[in-house]
Amino acid sequence: MSERFASAVYEGIVTHRRHAPHPHAFRYRMAQLWLDLDEVDAVFAGRWFWSANRRNLAEFRRADYFGAPEVPLADAVRDRVAHTLGRRPAGPVRLLAHPRYAGYVFNPVSFYYCYEADGETLAAVLSEITNTPWRERHAYVQAATGTDGHAIDATFAKAFHVSPFMPMERTYRWRFTQPGARLGVHMDVLRDGEREFDAHLALSRRSLTGASLARVLWRYPLMTAKVIGAIHIEALRLWLKRNPVHDHPGHAPKGLYERHRQ
């Protein structure tokens, strides 16, 4: 059955490293779905614990992802890419993200890989960021370059407040490999050209089958709840190390994220 699908499961490691002002690092194992958005209904048809747009232990819901819920997800992504880059990808859109588990969903980043009409040539990636704890969303779009061994290698100014422990005045460098048997995403946060923080996603592909989906539920139960739990645990560790807290430009600080008093 998996031979019919471009969709798959990716499993591996996410690593975060803070280099300044007080070093901090962590790594977690994780699994994400790689969904060709034209295949969503077929991928989940007949699954016991998985479904599309109806309640289940694991479910894909259109409203959890980019754009207006009444617009087909692939069209919403292509529209944004066309608006940003001036050209609309003609091929499939493939999403790397978590679905909803036990009614709960949270994706710090959802990646939408947009292809040319041949279904193999990467045209662009839309990265939709969700910040913590405000749950706001922002999308960055990068065109595929195919330079320096990466499908995408882009440097640009930070435009969205993500974490209370990272100020706005920073530069990003994001690099994406071509998805295949391995998938890699590397993100640097630069201050005056020096790396202050980096995150790395290193995943291996598994065919999408009943067995691989069962493995996700068995090995990574309640994955999205664990993601948000890990974010708050690591935030507490950063706070205890006295890393400075930076207020959201449009919001007052709250709870755990209140500024240290000197």
Side-chain angles (χ1 to χ4, degrees), residues 85-165:
L85 302 181
R87 57 184 179 85
R88 183 183 178 87
V93 177
R94 293 166 184 153
L95 168 63
L96 181 70
H98 298 297
R100 181 178 289 249
Y101 292 106
Y104 184 78
V105 65
F106 182 75
N107 280 288
V109 190
S110 299
F111 297 108
Y112 300 84
Y113 289 73
C114 304
Y115 287 83
E116 304 289 5
D118 62 9
E120 297 181 0
T121 304
L122 187 64
V125 173
L126 184 152
S127 305
E128 185 181 30
I129 314 295
T130 302
N131 61 13
T132 310
W134 304 279
R135 301 296 183 94
E136 300 164 324
R137 295 183 185 180
H138 181 81
Y140 294 103
V141 177
Q142 282 86 38
T145 56
T147 59
D148 194 29
H150 293 89
I152 291 175
D153 190 339
T155 301
F156 55 98
K158 180 182 178 183
F160 178 61
H161 188 75
V162 180
S163 164
F165 297 95

Side-chain angles (χ1 to χ4, degrees), residues 30-213:
M30 62 179 292
Q32 291 186 299
L33 298 190
W34 171 261
L35 292 174
D36 186 307
L37 297 181
D38 293 330
E39 298 179 347
V40 168
D41 289 337
V43 160
F44 295 121
R47 307 288 186 189
W48 283 6
F49 301 114
W50 298 77
S51 61
N53 296 310
R54 64 178 179 83
R55 288 192 176 278
N56 212 326
L57 180 59
E59 54 185 298
F60 175 90
R61 287 194 176 269
R62 165 64 186 94
D64 293 336
Y65 302 98
F66 179 79
E70 64 271 16
V71 178
L73 181 53
D75 288 343
V77 172
R78 292 187 189 104
D79 288 346
R80 172 59 68 87
V81 172
H83 175 77
T84 303
L85 302 181
R87 57 184 179 85
R88 183 183 178 87
V93 177
R94 293 166 184 153
L95 168 63
L96 181 70
H98 298 297
R100 181 178 289 249
Y101 292 106
Y104 184 78
V105 65
F106 182 75
N107 280 288
V109 190
S110 299
F111 297 108
Y112 300 84
Y113 289 73
C114 304
Y115 287 83
E116 304 289 5
D118 62 9
E120 297 181 0
T121 304
L122 187 64
V125 173
L126 184 152
S127 305
E128 185 181 30
I129 314 295
T130 302
N131 61 13
T132 310
W134 304 279
R135 301 296 183 94
E136 300 164 324
R137 295 183 185 180
H138 181 81
Y140 294 103
V141 177
Q142 282 86 38
T145 56
T147 59
D148 194 29
H150 293 89
I152 291 175
D153 190 339
T155 301
F156 55 98
K158 180 182 178 183
F160 178 61
H161 188 75
V162 180
S163 164
F165 297 95
M166 187 65 65
M168 284 293 296
E169 299 78 17
R170 295 295 183 267
T171 300
Y172 287 146
R173 185 183 183 193
W174 290 6
R175 285 164 286 175
F176 295 77
T177 65
Q178 181 73 38
R182 302 282 188 272
L183 185 153
V185 180
H186 187 86
M187 300 180 176
D188 291 325
V189 179
L190 308 175
R191 178 182 183 183
D192 299 326
E194 296 294 324
R195 181 185 297 161
E196 190 172 52
F197 171 90
D198 64 85
H200 186 68
L201 193 61
L203 306 177
S204 299
R205 182 183 177 109
R206 293 179 179 271
S207 296
L208 194 150
T209 63
S212 64
L213 290 176

Side-chain angles (χ1 to χ4, degrees), residues 217-239:
L217 293 179
W218 166 71
R219 190 161 187 184
Y220 306 96
L222 303 178
M223 183 77 242
T224 50
K226 289 184 176 181
V227 168
I228 196 66
I231 287 172
H232 284 84
I233 289 170
E234 299 303 333
L236 176 60
R237 290 173 177 169
L238 285 168
W239 186 78

